[in-house]
Amino acid sequence: MHSFNIHKSTPLILLVSIMGFMALNGCENPSGSSDPMSRFIDSLIQEMTIEEKAGQLTLYTSGWDVTGPVLRDDYMDELRAGRAGNLFNAHTVDYARELQRIAVEETLLGIPLLFGLDVIHGYKTTFPIPLAEASSWDLDIIEKSAHLAAKEAASAGVNWTFNPMVDVARDPRWGRIAEGSGEDPFLGALIGAAKVRGIQGKNLADPTTILACVKHFAAYGASQAGRDYHTVDMSDRELRQNYLPPYKAALEAGAATVMTSFNELDGVPASGNHYLMTEILRNEWGFDGFVVTDYTSINEMVPHGVVANEKEAAELAFKAGVQMDMQGGLYSRYIPELIAEGKIEESTLNEYVRQVLEMKYKLGLFEDPYRYLNKDREQQTLYSQELMNHALLAAKESIVLLKNQPASKGQSNLLPLSKKLGSVALIGPLADNRKDMLGTWHVAGDASKVITLKEGIAQIAPGVKINYARGAGFSGDDRSGFAEALAAARKSDVVIMAIGEDYTQSGEAASRSEIGLPGPQQELIEAIHALGKPIVAVVMAGRPLTINWIDEHIPAVMNAWHLGTMSGKAIAETLFGDHNPAGKLTITFPKNVGQIPIYYNMKNTGRPFSADNKYTSKYLDVSNEPLYPFGYGLSYTTFEYSDISLSSSELSFDSSLTVSATVTNTGTYEGQEVVQLYVRDMVGSVTRPVKELKGFEKIKLKPGESKRVSFNLSAKDLAFYTLDMRFEAEPGDFKVFIGPNSSTGLEADFKLK
């Protein structure tokens, strides 16, 4: 007989249900399963009313006021009545424990709560925003960040996170580009899977792991005009080729839950889209977890115009295959009516409830509802040294060096700076700033723990005098700080401009039609530049910015994103050479917004660019090339690529091909390089991209050291959705590239036969 520990707080009716399940051991049960979990859940579902079942499919939010977390009175009533089976934004052990006590000890069935939270890049200890961390191209670091964030959140009572966000995004105007991994489906799939492994670990019953939730399903990153919540319209081929792979990879890694997206797809909002939620997710991919909507997105199908009222919205979402309603309250309100009217089936409701209860079971909440609510573990875990050390490592590896040239002729490259400098001017709204360094979705991040850039420089280069001036803000046109900034620059050897976005200027509901430096920052840097001083631009933002002027005029440019708790130390170590930057962009930087969308794996067109022919695909006022391409990033050392070779000039459908090249550190610093492999299918039954990433390896080389880097390719790596929508490779000619980014590298040819 299955061993089950009855917690001392288990209410009588749940105890009866558990004992009934134990008595059923080896006997028939409604689901026909002999699995102990299924038998237990079957017996529990039999005890539930329709209202209680609808409650298990309902997720409400907690609030926060000056005294701490708080739950609305009406939600508390719903909780006590068994009509709210899950909560989000309810965290800290003391608060969540009391809510769990109410659910377990004061409701009739005593079913424990799920506690969800948007732990996107850390709980209290904040790691780099996801777009930044993707720039590390280091799956081990990314997986560990996810694990540590989950561990810290779990210590505070959270057992479910709405992460990873795996939306492929190619429009930097879209604020939520900060939450994902960039523009490439291949890299995005690897990162999504790594995050799921980190969040969920190998055993969900381990109280240092929590449920992952893959979002936003599907294609949210393709919102038209880069405007949040906007329409998405694309072919099924485009959806499957470029947008679905990261979701599928995250689910294959074991993700327990999926979140719907706000957008419509093919005219149907995602939360009511049967094609997405049932045909693809369940029938094609075999997903057996549960789907939760994004915040009130069932309700929002009314203004979408696909249903006339909220009752119809609840019915459409339910029939589409959506198990849980986040915040809208429509399932709780209308499922009993819809069942009574025969519009939805109670058997389907039971299946949906089963999928939710299974996750609570797998987390061990029926065995011990308080397993995530240990005060001692919370105090020991928050801001632990392990977390802070990793936050520093992840921040350093996420920094991308975009430009590094001498400040004047005859000198060496401006970076790294010498610790023997007499003084630096540290200017800009991000120079001595804590909260904005945390970036978007920093949830419970504590700004008081952040190391600012000013503090980081003082730690790393204590002999260098810092002449600080804020200079300008992130909005408006206040130039009153310019004079102080100019004075600081005049009396300093080098100027460090800490410029970019504040944490509210990217993320959800933070789309921008112009993505240059906000506020008067551009005028400020131009005024400082006019002094003739050596300048390092440290750009911190949640998206690519259009920094064409900076690239043309400033000798050293470092993209430092929003790096979290250890931002200042990570940037300072990189500026002064304690760390050699190795980050590579996972999103293309446009020269101006008129180039958007711009991404590396575009199609060639029937009239590809020719400088000698006006009637080819180009602009009159700007080149086709981006400011910085996908995969781009410099180092303080230099790398040379040579001697590309293929194990064969032909590849069969049942064999593999090895592509190799030598990479040599030709500079004077030890450094890391992300070696990238791309392929091009020259002819297909449908048009193919000019390049596609198919592999990468991050290597470390000492000065003068060389390494032979090899990649294996098979026909599977060359597969795509063909004219008849079969996912397969087609025979023909291919090019293969090995290089430091998507725009340059060594080239070779082979045939698939």
Side-chain angles (χ1 to χ4, degrees):
M1 182 175 288
H2 177 73
S3 174
F4 199 96
N5 297 321
I6 308 299
H7 195 271
K8 64 182 180 180
S9 63
T10 305
L12 178 60
I13 193 163
L14 184 52
L15 178 59
V16 170
S17 180
I18 292 170
M19 297 307 293
F21 130 75
M22 296 173 72
L24 280 170
N25 188 40
C27 301
E28 288 297 320
N29 62 305
S31 70
S33 172
S34 60
D35 170 39
M37 176 180 70
S38 296
R39 294 199 306 274
F40 166 67
I41 291 173
D42 283 337
S43 64
L44 183 54
I45 290 174
Q46 288 179 348
E47 303 289 345
M48 299 172 72
T49 65
I50 297 293
E51 288 75 15
E52 287 167 335
K53 291 174 184 177
Q56 288 302 305
L57 308 186
T58 297
L59 174 65
Y60 287 130
T61 186
S62 174
W64 202 274
D65 64 19
V66 291
T67 62
V70 62
L71 193 66
R72 281 171 32 178
D73 289 344
D74 55 336
Y75 291 168
M76 191 69 80
D77 293 340
E78 292 284 286
L79 173 59
R80 286 194 165 95
R83 294 193 298 267
N86 317 277
L87 295 171
F88 69 109
N89 293 338
H91 54 100
T92 70
V93 164
D94 289 341
Y95 177 57
R97 190 177 187 90
E98 174 58 15
L99 293 173
Q100 192 72 293
R101 187 199 65 76
I102 293 169
V104 172
E105 300 183 20
E106 295 187 19
T107 67
L108 187 61
L109 286 175
I111 299 173
L113 298 167
L114 281 179
F115 291 106
L117 188 67
D118 283 285
V119 186
I120 306 302
H121 55 111
Y123 172 59
K124 287 284 191 181
T125 308
T126 307
F127 303 121
I129 60 169
L131 185 60
E133 198 169 59
S135 299
S136 72
W137 294 62
D138 193 317
L139 298 177
D140 291 337
I141 285 177
I142 291 167
E143 181 174 338
K144 187 171 182 180
S145 292
H147 166 66
L148 291 176
K151 179 180 178 180
E152 190 179 36
S155 78
V158 176
N159 48 41
W160 181 25
T161 177
F162 308 122
N163 189 26
M165 193 275 247
V166 297
D167 298 316
V168 170
R170 294 166 167 176
D171 192 331
R173 295 173 299 179
W174 189 53
R176 302 197 78 166
I177 200 168
E179 296 175 47
S181 300
E183 69 190 48
D184 184 66
F186 175 84
L187 181 60
L190 293 173
I191 290 175
K195 289 187 175 185
V196 170
R197 292 193 301 269
I199 292 165
Q200 294 191 168
K202 296 180 179 179
N203 180 12
L204 286 174
D206 178 348
T208 66
T209 67
I210 60 181
L211 300 177
C213 185
V214 179
K215 65 182 189 184
H216 307 82
F217 196 65
Y220 190 29
S223 295
Q224 288 180 0
R227 202 171 80 222
D228 214 354
Y229 317 117
H230 202 10
T231 299
V232 171
D233 190 18
M234 64 176 62
S235 68
D236 199 48
R237 177 175 286 106
E238 178 71 2
L239 174 69
R240 290 176 177 274
Q241 188 74 48
N242 291 313
Y243 287 87
L244 291 188
Y247 305 106
K248 190 170 188 287
L251 294 175
E252 288 174 345
T257 68
V258 169
M259 181 183 290
T260 68
S261 53
F262 285 118
N263 57 278
E264 67 171 63
L265 185 69
D266 195 24
V268 182
S271 291
N273 197 308
H274 188 272
Y275 178 63
L276 287 176
M277 302 305 156
T278 295
E279 294 179 41
I280 293 178
L281 194 59
R282 301 283 179 188
N283 298 345
E284 290 186 30
W285 294 356
F287 176 63
D288 62 357
F290 70 82
V291 175
V292 61
T293 71
D294 209 336
Y295 197 102
T296 67
S297 67
I298 297 180
N299 314 58
E300 291 162 22
M301 289 196 289
V302 177
H304 266 291
V306 75
V307 289
N309 53 58
E310 291 186 336
K311 183 176 178 181
E312 288 184 9
E315 180 182 352
L316 184 62
F318 189 93
K319 288 181 174 178
V322 172
Q323 282 70 52
M324 190 179 291
D325 173 10
M326 179 191 286
Q327 189 57 24
L330 300 190
Y331 275 8
S332 179
R333 188 181 315 159
Y334 292 117
I335 279 178
E337 287 184 34
L338 293 168
I339 291 283
E341 295 168 3
K343 292 181 177 178
I344 61 175
E345 299 294 330
E346 187 171 0
S347 59
T348 305
L349 175 61
N350 291 344
E351 184 57 31
Y352 287 6
V353 172
R354 179 188 315 283
Q355 289 159 351
V356 173
L357 295 180
E358 282 181 356
M359 291 308 165
K360 295 183 177 184
Y361 186 101
K362 290 176 179 179
L363 287 169
L365 296 178
F366 286 109
E367 185 173 7
D368 179 5
Y370 303 104
R371 67 188 302 118
Y372 284 87
L373 300 166
N374 183 304
K375 189 69 174 176
D376 290 339
R377 185 166 68 235
E378 180 183 37
Q379 292 175 340
Q380 292 166 7
T381 304
L382 299 182
Y383 296 113
S384 70
Q385 196 59 51
E386 179 186 29
L387 286 158
M388 299 298 269
N389 289 345
H390 185 75
L392 176 60
L393 172 65
K396 290 190 293 187
E397 295 295 332
S398 300
I399 292 171
V400 184
L401 182 63
L402 298 176
K403 183 181 179 183
N404 190 23
Q405 295 180 354
S408 58
K409 290 183 179 180
Q411 296 182 344
S412 57
N413 290 342
L414 183 53
L415 292 176
L417 298 175
S418 170
K419 294 180 182 179
K420 296 180 181 179
L421 282 172
S423 61
V424 296
L426 182 59
I427 297 170
L430 287 152
D432 194 26
N433 182 319
R434 298 188 192 281
K435 192 166 189 177
D436 292 315
M437 307 287 262
L438 292 174
T440 183
W441 277 121
H442 57 257
V443 204
D446 185 349
S448 71
K449 300 286 187 180
V450 172
I451 297 178
T452 71
L453 180 52
K454 182 171 179 284
E455 291 168 340
I457 292 173
Q459 290 179 21
I460 299 304
V464 177
K465 182 181 179 182
I466 300 171
N467 297 313
Y468 163 72
R470 185 170 186 267
F474 299 102
S475 60
D477 57 2
D478 183 2
R479 298 168 182 79
S480 60
F482 279 29
E484 182 185 12
L486 289 165
R490 287 190 184 98
K491 61 184 179 182
S492 302
D493 299 321
V494 172
V495 178
I496 299 170
M497 297 293 301
I499 50 180
E501 296 180 320
D502 70 25
Y503 83 93
T504 70
Q505 289 172 323
S506 60
E508 184 172 356
S511 298
R512 296 176 58 200
S513 66
E514 294 290 343
I515 53 173
L517 290 171
Q521 294 179 84
Q522 182 63 40
E523 293 178 56
L524 175 63
I525 193 170
E526 290 183 22
I528 299 295
H529 172 261
L531 299 177
K533 293 282 186 175
I535 299 175
V536 180
V538 180
V539 182
M540 294 174 243
R543 56 160 56 86
L545 298 182
T546 49
I547 53 173
N548 212 40
W549 185 92
I550 290 175
D551 180 72
E552 290 178 2
H553 294 89
I554 304 302
V557 184
M558 181 180 291
N559 200 75
W561 310 104
H562 289 143
L563 296 178
T565 305
M566 299 299 287
S567 291
K569 188 171 184 182
I571 297 168
E573 286 192 17
T574 308
L575 285 171
F576 286 89
D578 290 357
H579 170 70
N580 188 354
K584 301 272 191 174
L585 299 176
T586 63
I587 184 72
T588 300
F589 274 50
K591 290 179 177 176
N592 61 41
V593 293
Q595 290 184 313
I596 296 169
I598 182 169
Y599 48 95
Y600 86 92
N601 54 347
M602 299 184 87
K603 304 290 186 69
N604 200 35
T605 87
R607 292 190 178 188
F609 169 77
S610 170
D612 300 324
N613 186 349
K614 175 181 179 180
Y615 298 99
T616 56
S617 184
K618 62 179 181 291
Y619 301 99
L620 293 177
D621 57 345
V622 67
S623 71
N624 289 2
E625 290 74 31
L627 182 59
Y628 306 114
F630 176 88
Y632 175 83
L634 303 176
S635 168
Y636 292 152
T637 194
T638 53
F639 297 98
E640 180 181 284
Y641 287 70
S642 62
D643 190 24
I644 189 171
S645 66
L646 280 65
S647 59
S648 173
S649 61
E650 294 184 352
L651 172 64
S652 67
F653 279 83
D654 58 357
S655 66
S656 63
L657 177 73
T658 301
V659 187
S660 304
T662 299
V663 182
T664 303
N665 184 340
T666 55
T668 57
Y669 295 87
E670 182 178 65
Q672 298 179 95
E673 173 72 342
V674 179
V675 183
Q676 299 160 44
L677 173 76
Y678 298 87
V679 298
R680 180 176 180 185
D681 187 348
M682 301 305 294
V683 177
S685 58
V686 295
T687 57
R688 307 290 293 121
V690 294
K691 281 184 181 178
E692 292 178 288
L693 180 70
K694 294 296 179 182
F696 60 91
E697 184 178 345
K698 192 172 186 178
I699 62 174
K700 180 181 286 188
L701 296 175
K702 296 178 181 178
E705 184 180 4
S706 296
K707 182 175 181 179
R708 191 77 178 161
V709 180
S710 298
F711 301 95
N712 288 322
L713 283 174
S714 68
K716 182 180 178 182
D717 298 310
L718 308 176
F720 65 101
Y721 285 92
T722 62
L723 182 62
D724 58 0
M725 289 303 292
R726 295 168 64 92
F727 187 71
E728 60 187 16
E730 294 178 338
D733 295 329
F734 290 80
K735 289 188 180 294
V736 62
F737 311 85
I738 295 181
N741 59 66
S742 62
S743 68
T744 187
L746 306 175
E747 180 181 328
D749 302 282
F750 69 92
K751 287 182 180 291
L752 176 64
K753 300 184 72 174

